[in-house]
Amino acid sequence: MDYRKEIEGFIDSHREDMIEDICRLCRINSEKMPYTEGKPYGEGTFEALQAALSMAEGYGFSITNYDNYVGTADLNDKESQLDILAHLDVVPAGEGWTETSAYEPVVKDGKLFGRGTADDKGPAVAALYAMRAVKELGIPLNKNVRLILGTDEECGSSDIAYYYDKEKEAPMTFSPDAEFPVINIEKGRLEGHFHAEFKASEAVPRLVKVEAGIKANVVPGKAKATVEGIDLATLETLAEEMKAETGISFGFEGSFPVFRITAQGEGAHASTPQEGKNALTGLLLYLTRLPLAECGQMDAVKALVELFPHGDTCGKAAGIAMGDELSGALTLAFSMLTVSSDSLEGIFDSRCPICSNEDNVLRTVKKNMADKGVTLENETMVPPHHVDGNSRFVKTLLACYEEYTGLQGSCESTGGGTYVHHLKNGVAFGAALPDTDNRMHGADEFAVVDELVVSAKIFAQAIVELCR
């Protein structure tokens, strides 16, 4: 029997209820806070989880609370078949909100604004309403679907590790924490932590220090250095040349003999470093062009420029450039660095395609860095994740997406990571349509109301097709 007409009717008739339930959760500031007894991620995530479980229980679902790390809602008591994995924690509100304040959700021009509306409370509630549609319409199922609500996705996913230490993963899992159609490939990751030591030198002109980077997974848009013994005219002349060459601009503060240099580029996510202008790599190249005295420190800086040259976002110079047809090319972002008189330490972030492994990435770059006097500390890397795009599971999801949107379905690859990265048969599925920029993690985050509604319909149809 085809249940599309019934599903569409149910979701459409409960549209306003669904939006109000999303707003109820989005009024709660559920960013991670310090641990308190019984509340592993603080008061906000605890409150959001209690609210969501109360909501699910009110709709007749059997709920379980896993020590306030994770909560679940089961559609029935039959054999496990499908898990829907969403999260209730959010990133901090930040500044720059104009449509509303972060925790006062509001609908304007068909968009629901507020922190968590897109990531991931809105999609979580859409999944709950999909289950509610199947339940209240009395659609018979042979297997169970479980909605899993986590509370630490944004800060490491220790909640899900806690859950899967107690429960087995379902035969199929999707996470509505990305975009449609289906993301069945997530690249592996090497967050490379490295260091080098050298003998301090007092010879001038000299580099005093370098400070750059805010997070491992962010291409630095700004980087700073202090130099001693070079006049301002020399610094400014080279800056003009380097701006023309690299696109990085340079500013100066101080007075002779000590000047502070600020390199200004353009930030980006480390999974797409080609979309930014790396201020750190631009600054290092600039420093190697200055007439600084030769020393161990500058030898180490020059080694970094050789390993991670400005503009190389594919790891070619580090010896790990590779790619494949399904997942694309390896990317590499040199994201953090501090340099002092006698040592340096830094981080690079590489997103690695299906063809990558610890031999051709980790051990290769480790040797190449060691050859230049730099020690890579890592012993392991996160492997890539791939679910067969021709599986019944993925084909069913794509068919449901196509049926309710009229759009062509396809499998996609991402350099980012989701809750399902370590699940054998887990994919990301929704809840934004392709090309919707919902300002996730930024000011004025929003979800398109019509997209949440159609997502609930798609999820309901997927439940029916996979569990009937």
Side-chain angles (χ1 to χ4, degrees):
M1 180 177 175
D2 182 4
Y3 291 100
R4 175 171 175 174
K5 183 177 180 180
E6 289 81 358
I7 288 171
E8 290 204 288
F10 182 93
I11 298 298
D12 286 339
S13 67
H14 290 81
R15 176 188 180 104
E16 297 306 318
D17 294 338
M18 185 176 80
I19 297 306
E20 179 49 43
D21 280 346
I22 295 170
C23 290
R24 177 183 167 191
L25 295 182
C26 290
R27 292 185 188 105
I28 301 169
N29 177 355
S30 54
E31 65 180 278
K32 187 174 184 178
M33 297 293 184
Y35 169 90
T36 60
E37 186 173 357
K39 302 173 182 178
Y41 310 114
E43 179 63 36
T45 56
F46 171 81
E47 183 182 348
L49 183 60
Q50 306 315 303
L53 290 178
S54 174
M55 191 182 295
E57 189 173 38
Y59 295 136
F61 298 107
S62 174
I63 63 169
T64 305
N65 187 333
Y66 293 80
D67 301 320
N68 294 316
Y69 285 81
V70 166
T72 62
D74 289 301
L75 187 57
N76 56 47
D77 58 1
K78 298 181 179 180
E79 180 183 355
S80 172
Q81 174 76 342
L82 174 66
D83 284 347
I84 303 176
L85 188 50
H87 68 90
L88 300 173
D89 59 310
V90 296
V91 298
E95 299 178 351
W97 290 77
T98 60
E99 299 293 344
T100 185
S101 59
Y103 300 109
E104 294 181 5
V106 64
V107 176
K108 292 182 179 180
D109 300 322
K111 299 175 180 178
L112 176 58
F113 290 91
R115 178 61 81 226
T117 53
D119 182 26
D120 191 36
K121 294 174 181 176
V125 173
L128 178 64
Y129 269 71
M131 293 171 60
R132 188 180 171 193
V134 174
K135 179 180 179 64
E136 295 187 23
L137 289 170
I139 300 175
L141 300 181
N142 296 322
K143 303 262 180 93
N144 183 40
V145 57
R146 168 175 284 187
L147 177 61
I148 303 173
L149 300 169
T151 56
D152 187 42
E153 193 274 343
E154 300 292 2
C155 297
S157 300
S158 60
D159 55 338
I160 292 303
Y162 186 89
Y163 172 80
Y164 284 115
D165 192 47
K166 301 177 182 301
E167 299 285 0
K168 293 181 180 179
E169 61 182 88
M172 306 171 186
T173 304
F174 73 76
S175 180
D177 190 21
E179 64 180 31
F180 292 113
V182 170
I183 297 175
N184 69 318
I185 297 173
E186 295 182 7
K187 289 181 177 179
R189 186 181 184 193
L190 174 58
E191 185 180 298
H193 292 246
F194 61 86
H195 69 270
E197 297 177 353
F198 31 81
K199 185 178 180 180
S201 172
E202 296 299 323
V204 290
R206 69 186 181 105
L207 172 63
V208 179
K209 65 178 180 179
V210 173
E211 296 174 323
I214 53 173
K215 289 181 68 177
N217 65 349
V218 176
V219 174
K222 185 179 291 186
K224 297 184 177 184
T226 302
V227 296
E228 180 183 357
I230 299 181
D231 63 271
L232 184 58
T234 299
L235 295 172
E236 291 180 334
T237 299
L238 179 60
E240 288 300 314
E241 298 173 5
M242 295 301 297
K243 182 177 182 180
E245 179 179 338
T246 66
I248 306 297
S249 60
F250 299 86
F252 307 95
E253 296 177 291
S255 57
F256 189 82
V258 177
F259 287 98
R260 293 178 295 280
I261 306 167
T262 299
Q264 185 68 53
E266 187 175 332
H269 194 280
S271 64
T272 53
Q274 69 279 4
E275 295 180 4
K277 293 180 181 178
N278 194 319
L280 170 54
T281 55
L283 175 62
L284 294 184
L285 182 60
Y286 174 87
L287 293 172
T288 63
R289 303 273 183 89
L290 289 174
L292 297 168
E294 294 184 6
C295 62
Q297 178 202 57
M298 285 309 299
D299 289 341
V301 169
K302 290 173 183 176
L304 294 181
V305 171
E306 292 173 0
L307 289 162
F308 311 117
H310 184 69
D312 179 0
T313 58
C314 61
K316 183 177 180 180
I320 55 174
M322 64 184 71
D324 55 60
E325 185 175 351
L326 288 176
S327 55
L330 178 146
T331 62
L332 189 150
F334 188 178
S335 50
M336 300 187 74
L337 180 68
T338 59
V339 181
S340 66
S341 62
D342 60 0
S343 65
L344 64 79
E345 57 181 332
I347 300 173
F348 66 85
D349 186 333
S350 181
R351 308 299 169 104
C352 310
I354 295 172
C355 60
S356 69
N357 55 54
E358 292 190 346
D359 280 333
N360 62 18
V361 174
L362 174 61
R363 294 184 181 90
T364 296
V365 71
K366 193 164 193 168
K367 179 184 182 301
N368 292 341
M369 294 179 77
D371 288 346
K372 294 184 180 297
V374 182
T375 301
L376 180 63
E377 300 161 7
N378 300 66
E379 298 296 334
T380 61
M381 62 178 280
V382 177
H385 173 70
H386 179 210
V387 175
D388 184 2
N390 291 315
S391 66
R392 170 181 170 252
F393 173 44
V394 172
K395 283 190 169 183
T396 299
L397 295 181
L398 289 174
C400 293
Y401 167 77
E402 291 178 344
E403 183 176 356
Y404 282 87
T405 66
L407 301 173
Q408 179 68 40
S410 61
C411 290
E412 305 293 337
S413 169
T414 180
T418 72
Y419 256 159
V420 301
H421 192 96
H422 297 286
L423 300 182
K424 182 179 180 180
N425 201 25
V427 301
F429 185 53
L433 291 180
D435 301 321
T436 296
D437 180 7
N438 50 31
R439 302 172 190 162
M440 188 179 293
H441 292 193
D444 290 336
E445 174 187 344
F446 69 86
V448 178
V449 173
D450 285 346
E451 293 184 14
L452 290 172
V453 171
V454 77
S455 294
K457 296 173 183 178
I458 293 168
F459 298 158
Q461 190 69 44
I463 289 169
V464 173
E465 297 295 335
L466 294 170
C467 299
R468 185 170 54 162

